Amino acid sequence: MLRLLVLGLGLLAVTALLSTVSVRSGQAVVLTRFGEPRAVHLRPGLHWRAPPPVDAVQRIDMRLRSTSSGMYSTQLADGSIVIIEAFLVWRVAQDREGVLSYLRATGARPRAAAAQLRGALGSSIQTVSGSFAMPDLVNTDAAGVRIGDFEAALRARLAQQVARYGVHIIDVGLERMMVPEPIVRSTIQAMIEERKVLAQHKRSEGTERSGAIMSAAYAEGRQIVAGAKADASRIEAEGRREAAEIHAGIETRDPELYRYLRGIEALRQLFATAPTLVLSTEAYPLRMISDGPPVADAVAEPEAQR
């Protein structure tokens, strides 16, 4: 009886073990009976099932996963060619229908699901890129960048395509964007030519402004020189007039002294222009050297002498 009791308890324990299934956190369990899904368990814990071979257990990983689209060459709305790589964060839908759809579409194989998602992500990139131009993705003005709109459109497009896979899209974003090398070279060359044109325009403006400044400076200089010449002529005329008045006053007051001073001035000019001369000492104005300055015949009045 004891042996039978132990044997019965053992059979009961084995039967109970085979009649339960444990569901861990981050996992879903699908019970299939003769290949047909019978129950889906999403909550962690123990759940009842029919012992094998009646019910089979299919475990599905419900944790977050990520994948990348790879490099896709696509054409934008303005005709620009860019190479885009996007990333995708996904997980199996957290409901019974989503789990069953995932199981039927991928066989609960994450790698197969990732391959299908990469293909859908690539086609979505090709479709969405046609609605955006290069300045929407690359722009020196931050207000003109629409990468957020691009990612939102990509997420919406992708969600429609993967709905039948039982997959829920968590996040989609641009991982990398490049321009093909020939386009980069042509773009750089176009930028160089544009800068050359701009530089030539600036040089032309500088030359024009320099000419205007120099013309204004020359005109102002001519005005200043003309004014200075007029002032010099006026001052020279005043000097000559004053000199004439002085000479006239000297000639009136002392004719002999006036003639003597004029003779000295004539000698100065004569020796300055012709230092070698053969003249008689009796000739004017050489006789002034031997005669000396004139002597007054009478003593002038004290006031006249002063």
Side-chain angles (χ1 to χ4, degrees):
M1 293 297 295
L2 182 58
R3 290 179 179 178
L4 291 175
L5 181 61
V6 172
L7 181 59
L9 291 175
L11 291 175
L12 183 61
V14 171
T15 302
L17 182 61
L18 294 176
S19 300
T20 59
V21 60
S22 63
V23 179
R24 295 189 294 270
S25 178
Q27 188 182 69
V29 170
V30 178
L31 299 179
T32 59
R33 180 167 296 177
F34 306 114
E36 293 294 329
R38 187 185 65 84
V40 177
H41 298 293
L42 300 174
R43 291 181 302 172
L46 288 176
H47 300 272
W48 292 104
R49 64 159 183 170
V54 178
D55 285 348
V57 176
Q58 185 71 54
R59 298 184 182 274
I60 298 176
D61 193 346
M62 306 291 287
R63 294 175 296 179
L64 290 177
R65 293 182 177 272
S66 64
T67 188
S68 177
S69 65
M71 306 301 294
Y72 274 84
S73 179
T74 182
Q75 184 174 3
L76 300 179
D78 57 355
S80 303
I81 304 297
V82 294
I83 299 176
I84 294 177
E85 182 177 10
F87 68 87
L88 169 65
V89 180
W90 60 278
R91 69 190 304 172
V92 180
Q94 305 291 304
D95 57 73
R96 182 178 184 278
E97 294 301 324
V99 171
L100 293 178
S101 298
Y102 178 78
L103 180 62
R104 286 191 294 266
T106 66
R109 293 174 299 174
R111 290 186 178 180
Q116 296 179 10
L117 290 175
R118 282 193 294 271
L121 182 56
S123 63
S124 298
I125 291 174
Q126 298 280 0
T127 302
V128 173
S129 297
S131 302
F132 293 85
M134 179 65 77
D136 297 330
L137 303 180
V138 180
N139 201 321
T140 55
D141 184 7
V145 178
R146 298 177 56 202
I147 292 182
D149 297 339
F150 184 92
E151 292 176 344
L154 191 61
R155 184 184 300 112
R157 173 74 180 178
L158 189 61
Q160 296 176 358
Q161 290 185 322
V162 303
R164 63 180 183 274
Y165 298 149
V167 172
H168 177 61
I169 304 301
I170 303 300
D171 193 15
V172 180
L174 293 182
E175 185 173 354
R176 182 166 46 175
M177 184 176 67
M178 299 183 300
V179 179
E181 186 175 352
I183 297 179
V184 172
R185 288 198 298 268
S186 62
T187 303
I188 292 175
Q189 187 62 35
M191 293 174 63
I192 291 174
E193 296 299 328
E194 181 182 356
R195 292 301 183 270
K196 286 182 179 179
V197 173
L198 181 60
Q200 183 62 36
H201 179 66
K202 293 296 183 182
R203 282 194 291 267
S204 300
E205 288 184 352
T207 303
E208 182 179 356
R209 293 182 60 187
S210 174
I213 293 172
M214 293 181 67
S215 298
Y218 288 150
E220 185 177 359
R222 286 193 295 268
Q223 292 178 358
I224 293 174
V225 170
K229 287 182 178 180
D231 292 340
S233 299
R234 179 179 54 79
I235 294 172
E236 184 178 1
E238 291 179 357
R240 289 178 179 177
R241 180 180 57 78
E242 292 178 0
E245 291 178 355
I246 293 172
H247 287 166
I250 294 174
E251 184 179 5
T252 302
R253 294 172 59 186
D254 195 341
E256 293 294 333
L257 177 60
Y258 176 75
R259 284 194 297 271
Y260 180 76
L261 293 177
R262 297 290 291 179
I264 294 297
E265 181 65 24
L267 286 174
R268 183 182 296 109
Q269 294 179 1
L270 181 64
F271 288 131
T273 56
T276 303
L277 295 173
V278 179
L279 297 172
S280 173
T281 56
E282 296 300 326
Y284 181 84
L286 292 180
R287 71 169 181 265
M288 296 175 60
I289 298 175
S290 58
D291 294 345
V295 179
D297 295 334
V299 178
E301 295 179 359
E303 183 178 358
Q305 292 177 356
R306 289 195 295 272

